[in-house]
Amino acid sequence: MPDGARTPLPGRRIRTPVDGVHHLAARNEEVLGVLPVAAADRVAAAGLPPWRAAEHLASRTLLRFLLREVGEDAGDGPVAALPGGRPYLPGRPGPGVSLSHSAGWVAAAVGRGRDVGVDVQVPAPVGDRLLRRCCLPGDADALAALPEDARRLGFARVFTVQEACVKARGEGLSGRPWTVPVPLDPRTGTWNRVHWSAPHDDRDAVPVACAWTEPVSRQEGAGGGDGLRPRTNTRTNT
């Protein structure tokens, strides 16, 4: 699939940073207003608070659409989660999958024979302590000197990459995302055998990043493994 393939979601494109890795992001209402919602997902979302149900349905609906588009159709099968929250497709060890949500936005990623991580972050206020914890020293100073909107956007671009990288390794906060070195205005890079891409979309100033491992065996249990460490995680953003 070519990078930037069109979708039924106006202005949204499937990104393909490398062969076999695809990701897509959109607003909740865009996804739920256009794409069909699987019955299994409606059942799973029943009883959740309205805001949580919306992000649950939108993220899984977006993932199912992406799977269909890249030839890995999950049909109406379940999208399950490991104890730490990482999503996987029961009985389907081939594709690695990842989900993210942030303030009305969702993102999904698929990796054929790879582990993947995706993250979307709506820019939000960020204090000096968090800037210095997550950013390289000189970059923290540079961001702190920017106007508020630019500081929020710059930090969100850095943190999406950090989150995507640790999620690709099957970790949440236990992976210490703030220790992943990411430059300002990130585009592509590699960290601890994990590759990442952070395309910039001019239509919406909402950063999205995707990370992936090299192709791996998918026979290491539910959802596969990255060949680096087991998927016994703490929390991941699903």
Side-chain angles (χ1 to χ4, degrees), residues 121-155:
Q121 294 284 338
V122 173
V126 54
D128 183 71
R129 181 178 178 182
L130 190 58
L131 279 178
R132 298 191 183 284
R133 186 183 195 190
C134 296
C135 299
L136 300 171
D139 292 346
D141 291 337
L143 283 178
L146 293 176
E148 177 67 17
D149 287 349
R151 180 167 63 252
R152 293 184 185 188
L153 178 59
F155 177 78

Side-chain angles (χ1 to χ4, degrees), residues 153-208:
L153 178 59
F155 177 78
R157 284 181 170 157
V158 169
F159 199 64
T160 54
V161 174
Q162 294 174 324
E163 281 276 296
C165 284
V166 297
K167 289 167 73 173
R169 290 175 60 92
E171 301 165 333
L173 293 179
S174 68
R176 297 166 54 86
W178 53 87
T179 65
V180 179
V182 178
L184 294 183
D185 198 33
R187 301 286 177 155
T188 60
T190 301
W191 167 79
N192 280 4
R193 296 164 59 192
V194 173
H195 308 284
W196 57 264
S197 172
H200 294 185
D201 194 325
D202 294 334
R203 186 170 187 264
D204 291 288
V206 177
V208 179

Side-chain angles (χ1 to χ4, degrees), residues 8-198:
L9 305 168
R12 310 297 174 206
R13 295 175 290 168
I14 296 174
R15 301 284 191 175
T16 304
V18 296
D19 186 43
V21 175
H22 314 277
H23 64 97
L24 176 62
R27 289 189 174 94
N28 291 355
E29 62 266 24
E30 293 174 328
V31 175
L32 298 178
V34 173
L35 301 177
V37 177
D41 296 336
R42 291 192 185 279
V43 171
L48 293 176
W51 65 269
R52 181 69 180 102
E55 67 186 16
H56 181 99
L57 292 173
S59 62
R60 283 150 180 80
T61 298
L62 190 67
L63 175 61
R64 290 181 189 277
F65 168 77
L66 186 57
L67 285 163
R68 289 193 300 272
E69 289 298 296
V70 303
E72 296 284 357
D73 194 350
D76 291 327
V79 178
L82 295 172
R86 183 171 188 156
Y88 72 98
L89 307 177
R92 296 281 306 281
V97 298
S98 183
L99 299 171
S100 181
H101 48 76
S102 173
W105 278 76
V106 289
V110 175
R112 184 173 291 112
R114 304 171 187 258
D115 289 324
V116 291
V118 71
D119 198 65
V120 57
Q121 294 284 338
V122 173
V126 54
D128 183 71
R129 181 178 178 182
L130 190 58
L131 279 178
R132 298 191 183 284
R133 186 183 195 190
C134 296
C135 299
L136 300 171
D139 292 346
D141 291 337
L143 283 178
L146 293 176
E148 177 67 17
D149 287 349
R151 180 167 63 252
R152 293 184 185 188
L153 178 59
F155 177 78
R157 284 181 170 157
V158 169
F159 199 64
T160 54
V161 174
Q162 294 174 324
E163 281 276 296
C165 284
V166 297
K167 289 167 73 173
R169 290 175 60 92
E171 301 165 333
L173 293 179
S174 68
R176 297 166 54 86
W178 53 87
T179 65
V180 179
V182 178
L184 294 183
D185 198 33
R187 301 286 177 155
T188 60
T190 301
W191 167 79
N192 280 4
R193 296 164 59 192
V194 173
H195 308 284
W196 57 264
S197 172

